[in-house]
Amino acid sequence: MMSNLHLHRFESDDLLAASLADAIAENLRDALSQKGTASLIVSGGSTPKKLFHALSQIDIDWENVKIGLCDERWVGADHIDSNEKLVRENLMVGHASKATFIGMFIEGAEADDAQSACTQNIKASLFPFDVIVLGMGEDAHTASLFPHNPKLQEAYESHELCISIEPSTAPHLRMSLTRSAILSAKHLYLHFQGDKKGELYHQALEGNDTFEMPIRSILHQPYTPIEVYTA
């Protein structure tokens, strides 16, 4: 285990969700007390739904919390595959309904043409990031940084916040945070569940090819503490 990684393993998804929600809420409270606002950047997919529900039930000053995304499919907010839709329906309920959402998708714009505007929107509203919660796909992608994608090198080297990416193994054009944007977070979490992803995580630790397994580009950062939550 690399010294920058702190592993938290739980016996059930419910215990994992509750513990991670408590940790994130404490980070947000600290940010709110220090500067009056806080930013929370989350991932899509099915894995974080229980986390979202647990977090939405915690009573903090959500009116001063802004929520954004690690990545977004380039579809409208009412599309079934929209991460914005997922977050609004599963996280921004209960206490968290008072939070403000800052999306990536820009209506009427092509993803490739929207990189700069997306970066500026996020920089103005969400940056610097207080908390980022990453996921990990079964192909070891994170955010929308997919294995062997032609734009991975740019995503790894860019100092901009956003990059448009077209995956060859998943539907929809995407907008994603770059590696430097992800690593800039004050608190960075990796959240995954199940034996298959547990094995994948250990494979990621053992190798160095970040183009084969993009999650390595995040994990293999000795000076970036990462809290790893799994069940």
Side-chain angles (χ1 to χ4, degrees):
M1 178 70 69
M2 288 179 279
S3 60
N4 64 312
L5 304 176
H6 309 114
L7 183 64
H8 308 260
R9 190 185 300 277
F10 298 87
E11 294 183 359
S12 74
D13 296 349
D14 289 338
L15 289 172
L16 164 59
S19 181
L20 181 50
D22 285 342
I24 292 169
E26 190 61 29
N27 297 154
L28 296 177
R29 286 191 188 100
D30 287 345
L32 289 163
S33 67
Q34 291 169 18
K35 57 183 182 174
T37 63
S39 59
L40 169 63
I41 313 300
V42 297
S43 298
S46 58
T47 298
K49 284 185 177 180
K50 283 189 176 181
L51 167 63
F52 289 168
H53 292 153
L55 194 52
S56 72
Q57 296 172 40
I58 299 177
D59 189 6
I60 64 174
D61 182 15
W62 285 106
E63 288 185 357
N64 289 305
V65 176
K66 294 180 180 179
I67 297 174
L69 295 166
C70 293
D71 65 319
E72 178 62 283
R73 299 169 177 93
W74 209 248
V75 296
D78 59 348
H79 193 286
I80 191 171
D81 293 333
S82 166
N83 283 338
E84 176 175 343
K85 179 180 174 67
L86 175 80
V87 168
R88 288 189 182 278
E89 292 179 352
N90 293 275
L91 173 54
M92 297 182 69
V93 295
H95 292 298
S97 64
K98 299 175 183 177
T100 300
F101 183 82
I102 307 296
M104 285 182 153
F105 179 71
I106 300 173
E107 190 71 44
E110 296 295 328
D112 288 346
D113 298 331
Q115 285 183 175
S116 179
C118 189
T119 289
Q120 292 307 313
N121 289 345
I122 290 175
K123 190 174 289 185
S125 302
L126 291 162
F127 195 77
F129 304 133
D130 293 304
V131 179
I132 289 182
V133 186
L134 290 175
M136 178 176 65
E138 293 185 355
D139 60 355
H141 82 268
T142 193
S144 278
L145 308 182
F146 285 85
H148 302 295
N149 189 279
K151 293 188 75 171
L152 267 186
Q153 186 76 42
E154 183 181 349
Y156 291 163
E157 295 178 354
S158 175
H159 294 293
E160 297 298 321
L161 297 180
C162 298
I163 187 168
S164 65
I165 288 186
E166 184 173 10
S168 59
T169 55
H172 306 301
L173 277 162
R174 315 284 180 105
M175 191 69 73
S176 177
L177 294 182
T178 60
R179 176 171 67 175
S180 66
I182 292 168
L183 293 175
S184 74
K186 185 174 183 180
H187 301 281
L188 184 56
Y189 294 90
L190 174 62
H191 174 206
F192 62 88
Q193 295 167 200
D195 292 340
K196 187 172 183 179
K197 288 192 178 180
E199 293 173 8
L200 193 70
Y201 171 72
H202 288 293
Q203 287 177 1
L205 298 184
E206 292 166 2
N208 295 307
D209 187 343
T210 61
F211 293 92
E212 176 190 31
M213 301 181 78
I215 190 63
R216 286 174 175 154
S217 72
I218 305 300
L219 297 175
H220 291 214
Q221 302 291 329
Y223 303 110
T224 302
I226 303 173
E227 304 295 328
V228 181
Y229 276 70
T230 183

